[in-house]
């Protein structure tokens, strides 16, 4: 019922925008945005969520967003849209993940210089990064970090800060999890109040003031630079564009060694005994498949052991070359559950052979088989992703699937594939990203209760710390005002004494 109500609200918003805004302002919108609005329910829903489900406010937000997107030519922004020096500076970039698994968008304020002549280009760069992320992560929010360490007056640019906040508030609604401000200078205290006003009362709780002692409450040390107390050795450089550090996983196209191989064989044997038809299903990977048969029934999934081979997921990403299942997330178990394997199913929807390779941000933790191969026209192929040894999956881990269509004359051997990837143009490569989801332990709920019990005072302490900080700042300002008043009082008293002395001296001269 709730889904029906939501769908009705989305439909109402879409219809009103099409009738009330598009006819009068069609030339101010990019036709690609209008088309997406008509097709993408999630996009409309994000605007509604950020607008508190108030349709009138949501329509104004969509209108402002669409006009901005056309003004900044967001759809057409590429690396070549910017002067090379702007990309080399490195004041804005995406890198790493916070503790909740959200991508981090960094703004190194120290490197930024306020300059009216280049302001528009810098604003376009913000749009470029956010749009690039939004297209790849399918609406998953991110965390904004304002690194204000060693910031000076020349770096303070409130107009630029306001623009960044506006991007999340209007142009990319529901994309922000929090804003982490690191080492806010004392001269920025007044400006900080402006930032809170810009965000509005509902979003002000997203602001997190941090320093070296407490920033690891939100971001682990592995994704923090040394000056923040972290261990991340990453240093921005260009070219190429900074992105996820996808690398080749262990045992590329090689055997899954020893214990993993034995375990895998045992599981497959069990599968074959319990499900005789599964052998035919394995063989069908090299034959043409019926697309309707790829989606399993829920009751069948419930009967399968969780450690056995993962079955084809209900969600499928439909790309121009490959259909990829699951569409967004690989589900691994926690250390307690021991679920260490996932299955990715690739289906070639073209008339030619498609070469693919799989990369991951954590190559030491995962084994992927195969990670560099090809898929024949109209066939499906299974990729087994397994955790290595005692490693555990993390929300920060990502996988990148790259695919490109091959010529009929191209071979599919190891050397041919290696040569193919060296020669294939970048614009011919399809890319799709998958993130990891860690399933909760099936142990009794007492652990969860204890964790929640500890989480409540943590939030309370955070609020108390913020209130105490604000109180100390107010006390400091009051003390400064009192000192100023005392100084002014002393100066006034001194002037009065001088005036009395001068008057007395004048009378003395007149009468004596």
């Amino acid at each position: 019922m709730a889904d029906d109500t939501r769908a009705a609200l989305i439909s109402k918003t879409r219809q009103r925008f099409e009738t009330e805004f598009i006819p009068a302002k069609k030339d101010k919108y990019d036709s690609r945005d209008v088309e997406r609005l008509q097709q993408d329910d999630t996009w409309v829903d994000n605007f509604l969520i950020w607008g508190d489900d108030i349709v009138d406010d949501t329509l104004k937000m969509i209108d402002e967003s669409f006009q901005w997107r056309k003004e900044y030519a967001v759809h057409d922004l590429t690396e070549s849209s910017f002067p090379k020096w702007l990309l080399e500076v490195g004041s804005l970039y995406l890198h790493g993940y916070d503790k909740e698994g959200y991508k981090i968008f960094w703004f190194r304020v120290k490197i930024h210089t306020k300059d009216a002549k280049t302001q528009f280009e810098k604003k376009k760069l913000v749009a470029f990064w956010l749009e690039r992320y939004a297209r790849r992560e399918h609406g998953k929010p991110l965390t904004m970090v304002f690194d204000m360490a060693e910031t000076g007056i020349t770096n303070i640019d409130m107009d630029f800060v306001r623009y960044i906040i506006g991007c999340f508030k209007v142009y990319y609604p529901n994309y922000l999890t929090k804003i982490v401000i690191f080492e806010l200078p004392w001269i920025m205290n007044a400006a900080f109040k402006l930032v809170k006003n810009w965000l509005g009362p509902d979003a002000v709780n997203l602001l997190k003031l941090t320093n070296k002692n407490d920033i690891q409450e939100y971001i682990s040390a592995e994704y923090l630079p040394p000056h923040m107390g972290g261990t991340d050795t990453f240093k921005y450089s260009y070219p190429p564009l900074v992105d996820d550090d996808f690398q080749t996983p262990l045992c590329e196209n090689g055997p899954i060694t020893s214990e993993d191989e034995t375990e895998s064989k045992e599981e497959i044997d069990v599968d074959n005994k319990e499900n005789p038809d599964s052998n035919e299903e394995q063989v069908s990977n090299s034959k043409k498949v019926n697309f309707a048969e790829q989606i399993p029934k829920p009751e069948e999934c419930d009967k399968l052991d969780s450690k056995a081979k993962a079955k084809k997921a209900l969600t499928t990403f439909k790309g121009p070359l490959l259909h990829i299942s699951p569409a967004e997330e690989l589900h691994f178990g926690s250390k307690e559950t021991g679920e260490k394997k996932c299955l990715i199913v690739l289906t070639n929807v073209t008339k030619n052979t498609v070469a693919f390779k799989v990369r991951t941000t954590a190559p030491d933790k995962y084994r992927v088989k195969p990670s560099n191969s090809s898929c024949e026209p109209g066939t499906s192929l299974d990729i087994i992703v397994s955790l290595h040894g005692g490693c555990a999956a993390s929300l920060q881990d990502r996988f990148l699937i790259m695919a490109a269509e091959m010529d009929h004359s191209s071979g599919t051997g190891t050397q041919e594939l290696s040569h193919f990837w060296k020669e294939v143009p970048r614009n011919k490569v399809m890319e799709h990203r998958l993130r990891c989801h860690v399933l909760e332990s099936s142990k009794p709920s007492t652990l969860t209760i204890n964790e929640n019990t500890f989480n409540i005072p943590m939030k309370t302490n955070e609020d108390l710390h913020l209130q105490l900080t604000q109180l100390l700042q107010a006390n400091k300002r009051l003390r400064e005002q009192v000192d100023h008043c005392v100084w002014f009082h002393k100066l006034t008293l001194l002037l009065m004494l001088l005036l009395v002395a001068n008057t007395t001296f004048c009378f003395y001269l007149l009468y004596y």
Side-chain angles (χ1 to χ4, degrees):
M1 189 67 181
D3 291 340
D4 293 339
T5 304
R6 199 74 200 161
L9 188 61
I10 291 171
S11 178
K12 177 183 177 182
T13 303
R14 183 181 283 127
Q15 290 173 1
R16 282 191 58 185
F17 189 82
E18 291 175 355
T19 56
E20 297 175 22
F21 287 83
I22 292 179
K25 299 184 177 182
K26 190 173 183 179
D27 60 329
K28 296 183 178 180
Y29 303 151
D30 189 309
S31 60
R32 289 167 289 187
D33 290 326
V34 176
E35 183 179 353
R36 181 183 173 189
L37 184 78
Q38 295 167 344
Q39 299 175 354
D40 192 342
D41 288 350
T42 302
W43 201 28
V44 180
D45 195 34
N46 280 339
F47 279 107
L48 281 166
I49 292 170
W50 209 244
D52 295 325
D53 289 345
I54 301 173
V55 177
D56 289 339
D57 292 346
T58 301
L59 291 173
K60 293 177 183 177
M61 194 185 306
I62 296 173
D63 172 50
E64 185 179 347
S65 175
F66 277 23
Q67 292 191 52
W68 170 84
R69 290 176 68 84
K70 183 166 184 178
E71 178 188 357
Y72 281 77
V74 171
H75 280 282
D76 302 314
L77 289 177
T78 63
E79 292 179 61
S80 59
S81 304
F82 305 96
K84 188 176 180 181
W85 68 265
L86 187 58
L87 294 169
E88 290 175 338
V89 168
S91 60
L92 292 160
Y93 57 87
L94 291 162
H95 174 69
Y97 303 89
D98 68 7
K99 283 192 170 181
E100 297 175 278
Y102 297 113
K103 191 75 175 177
I104 301 174
F105 186 30
W106 294 87
F107 177 29
R108 298 281 312 278
V109 184
K110 175 185 175 182
I111 302 175
H112 176 83
T113 302
K114 186 175 182 179
D115 182 3
K117 295 180 180 179
T118 60
Q119 190 78 321
F120 185 70
E121 291 295 323
K122 292 175 181 177
K123 288 181 177 180
K124 283 173 62 178
L125 184 61
V126 175
F128 167 74
W129 279 118
L130 291 179
E131 185 69 12
R132 179 184 175 89
Y133 174 81
R135 290 178 184 177
R136 292 186 172 188
E137 291 293 341
H138 312 293
K140 186 176 175 66
L142 52 74
T143 293
M144 183 79 210
V145 175
F146 285 85
D147 180 5
M148 306 191 75
E150 301 179 14
T151 299
I153 294 293
T154 57
N155 307 121
I156 305 302
D157 189 349
M158 294 310 298
D159 176 61
F160 192 65
V161 172
R162 184 173 187 173
Y163 169 78
I164 293 176
I165 292 173
C167 284
F168 289 109
K169 191 175 180 181
V170 180
Y171 311 140
Y172 293 89
N174 210 32
Y175 264 82
L176 185 66
T177 61
K178 54 186 165 290
I179 297 177
V180 179
I181 301 178
F182 180 74
E183 291 190 353
L184 179 72
W186 65 269
I187 58 173
M188 288 287 292
N189 286 335
F192 177 66
K193 292 182 179 179
L194 290 176
V195 173
K196 291 197 291 185
N197 291 334
W198 294 336
L199 279 171
D202 296 332
V204 72
N205 291 330
L206 301 179
L207 281 174
K208 310 296 179 183
L209 281 176
T210 64
N211 54 39
K212 201 171 183 178
N213 296 325
D214 55 15
I215 191 171
Q216 290 192 36
E217 292 180 18
Y218 308 104
I219 305 171
S220 59
E222 65 176 312
Y223 289 117
L224 288 175
H227 74 273
M228 290 185 174
T231 58
D232 191 358
T233 58
F234 166 82
K235 290 185 178 180
Y236 180 90
S237 63
Y238 177 84
L241 275 176
V242 175
D243 205 345
D244 293 307
D245 298 324
F246 289 106
Q247 301 176 40
T248 304
L250 290 177
C251 299
E252 181 173 8
N253 285 338
I256 302 177
T257 58
S258 60
E259 55 176 294
D260 285 342
E261 185 177 28
T262 304
E263 182 182 356
S264 180
K265 287 180 179 179
E266 290 174 354
E267 290 168 357
I268 294 172
D269 289 341
V270 171
D271 265 353
N272 292 341
K273 290 177 182 178
E274 295 181 356
N275 303 290
D277 296 336
S278 63
N279 288 330
E280 297 177 8
E281 183 180 345
Q282 294 294 324
V283 174
S284 69
N285 288 337
S286 59
K287 297 180 180 180
K288 292 190 176 181
V289 295
N290 184 337
F291 291 99
E293 293 176 357
Q294 290 184 25
I295 302 177
K297 298 179 181 179
E299 58 268 20
E300 292 176 355
C301 293
D302 294 337
K303 295 177 183 179
L304 297 177
D305 189 287
S306 62
K307 292 185 67 177
K309 282 185 62 181
K311 298 301 177 184
K312 297 176 177 61
L314 293 174
T315 57
T316 301
F317 168 77
K318 297 182 178 181
L321 305 181
L322 296 174
H323 286 184
I324 301 172
S325 183
E328 296 182 0
E329 294 182 336
L330 295 178
H331 290 255
F332 288 93
S334 62
K335 284 189 175 182
E336 290 81 4
T337 62
E339 296 169 357
K340 299 173 60 178
K341 288 184 173 63
C342 283
L343 188 71
I344 302 174
V345 181
L346 305 183
T347 302
N348 186 347
V349 294
T350 72
K351 296 180 180 180
N352 296 319
T353 300
V354 172
F356 71 87
K357 55 183 177 179
V358 183
R359 297 292 181 263
T360 177
T361 56
D364 295 335
K365 291 168 60 174
Y366 297 96
R367 292 179 177 178
V368 179
K369 184 178 181 180
S371 64
N372 187 0
S373 188
S374 60
C375 188
E376 296 300 317
T379 66
S380 288
L381 184 141
D382 293 350
I383 299 175
I384 300 174
V385 181
S386 58
L387 281 162
H388 174 55
C391 296
S394 169
L395 293 173
Q396 291 91 349
D397 298 341
R398 295 290 192 276
F399 288 85
L400 172 67
I401 298 173
M402 304 171 66
E405 200 169 3
M406 304 180 72
D407 296 331
H408 292 289
S409 58
S410 301
T412 57
T414 303
Q415 293 183 350
E416 288 89 344
L417 285 173
S418 177
H419 178 72
F420 171 77
W421 284 112
K422 290 178 181 178
E423 299 296 330
V424 65
R426 181 74 177 179
N427 60 356
K428 299 292 185 181
V429 178
M430 180 194 105
E431 293 186 353
H432 183 67
R433 285 160 169 73
L434 297 171
R435 53 183 179 263
C436 289
H437 177 80
V438 181
L439 300 173
E440 295 295 331
S441 171
S442 58
K443 287 188 174 184
S445 59
T446 52
L447 181 60
T448 305
I449 294 172
N450 289 339
E451 288 175 349
N452 292 337
T453 304
F454 284 116
N455 284 338
I456 293 171
M458 279 178 64
K459 293 180 180 177
T460 305
N461 289 339
E462 181 184 339
D463 294 337
L464 289 174
H465 176 73
L466 180 58
Q467 292 174 3
L468 180 59
T469 303
Q470 293 173 342
L471 183 61
L472 289 173
Q473 290 174 350
N475 184 54
K476 181 181 177 182
R477 288 194 296 270
L478 181 61
R479 192 185 310 116
E480 290 173 351
Q481 292 174 1
V482 170
D483 291 341
H484 180 73
C485 290
V486 171
W487 177 83
F488 184 76
H489 177 70
K490 290 179 178 179
L491 179 62
T492 304
L493 183 61
L494 178 61
L495 291 174
M496 288 180 63
L497 289 174
L498 289 173
L499 181 61
V500 170
N502 186 55
T503 304
T504 304
F505 181 71
C506 289
F507 275 109
Y508 176 81
L509 293 176
L510 286 173
Y511 295 101
Y512 296 98

